[in-house]
């Protein structure tokens, strides 16, 4: 992610302020779920992604990534 920030956005260094603005960290400097998923090291084994229909009881698609 850091390389993409450098190449595409011209950001030289990723700071806590940038991570907070992107909601990858909260103001207490703890990673959000999104930030933890994108981190180089985390405790997640994978992620399930679901696309819902008109209600959360209707699942249109589901994918699992490891």
């Amino acid at each position: 992610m850091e390389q993409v920030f450098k190449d595409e956005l011209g950001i030289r260094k990723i700071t806590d302020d940038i991570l907070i603005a992107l909601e990858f960290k909260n103001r207490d400097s703890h990673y959000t779920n999104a930030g933890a998923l994108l981190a180089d090291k985390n405790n997640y084994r994978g992620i399930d992604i679901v696309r819902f229909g008109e209600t959360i009881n209707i699942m249109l698609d589901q994918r699992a990534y490891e």
Side-chain angles (χ1 to χ4, degrees):
M1 183 172 73
E2 185 173 1
Q3 194 61 47
V4 171
F5 280 15
K6 288 179 181 178
D7 295 344
E8 301 295 324
L9 303 175
I11 295 172
R12 295 182 185 176
K13 183 178 180 186
I14 299 176
T15 64
D16 278 350
D17 288 337
I18 291 171
L19 295 175
I20 290 169
L22 294 171
E23 297 185 7
F24 292 153
K25 275 191 171 183
N26 60 29
R27 296 194 186 279
D28 297 326
S29 289
H30 293 102
Y31 282 105
T32 62
N33 288 339
L37 286 170
L38 294 173
D40 291 337
K41 295 180 183 178
N42 61 47
N43 293 326
Y44 294 104
R45 202 169 158 216
I47 183 171
D48 291 329
I49 299 174
V50 177
R51 183 169 64 111
F52 294 102
E54 291 183 28
T55 69
I56 62 170
N57 295 323
I58 301 170
M59 291 177 28
L60 300 176
D61 293 310
Q62 180 182 10
R63 300 263 163 80
Y65 297 94
E66 286 191 32

